[in-house]
Amino acid sequence: MVEPDGPGREIGWPELAGDLRRLKQRGHRLPPSPVASAPRARAWRIHLGLPRPAQALAMPPRAAPRRLTPAHACLALADLAGDASERRSRARPRIRS
């Protein structure tokens, strides 16, 4: 039996999108994904119906399952985390004195 708020519970796209939106706005401390971007994008398309789930938070993807599991949330978080090369390009330049 799965508890209503337990780790195996299913969620809908609006709940996951809201959580991702808040993480994006407030910042996060997710480490860069250890998986290269091409395999991640392939997994997002197959399982969530989107090439970049963290970029499409307004509407539910047509190909996504109606109920999402924690595994789907992990895939979406991997998009939000990005990879090390994306992080370097977004980093603020350091001012040397």
Side-chain angles (χ1 to χ4, degrees):
M1 176 172 207
V2 176
E3 297 175 29
D5 290 330
R9 80 179 179 103
E10 296 176 334
I11 61 172
W13 179 257
E15 184 178 354
L16 178 58
D19 291 343
L20 291 172
R21 196 176 300 109
R22 280 187 292 282
L23 278 170
K24 220 172 159 178
Q25 290 169 347
R26 295 179 183 162
H28 59 80
R29 293 181 151 200
L30 296 169
S33 176
V35 179
S37 60
R40 282 196 328 261
R42 196 169 27 258
W44 297 325
R45 277 198 275 330
I46 291 168
H47 298 288
L48 293 172
L50 293 167
R52 298 288 309 260
Q55 306 274 325
L57 301 176
M59 296 182 62
R62 282 177 261 202
R66 289 182 66 72
R67 302 304 295 166
L68 303 172
T69 65
H72 292 110
C74 288
L75 282 172
L77 284 171
D79 182 24
L80 193 63
D83 54 71
S85 64
E86 288 177 351
R87 291 251 176 119
R88 280 192 294 275
S89 66
R90 288 187 294 188
R92 294 182 193 159
R94 293 183 183 206
I95 300 172
R96 294 184 182 179
S97 51

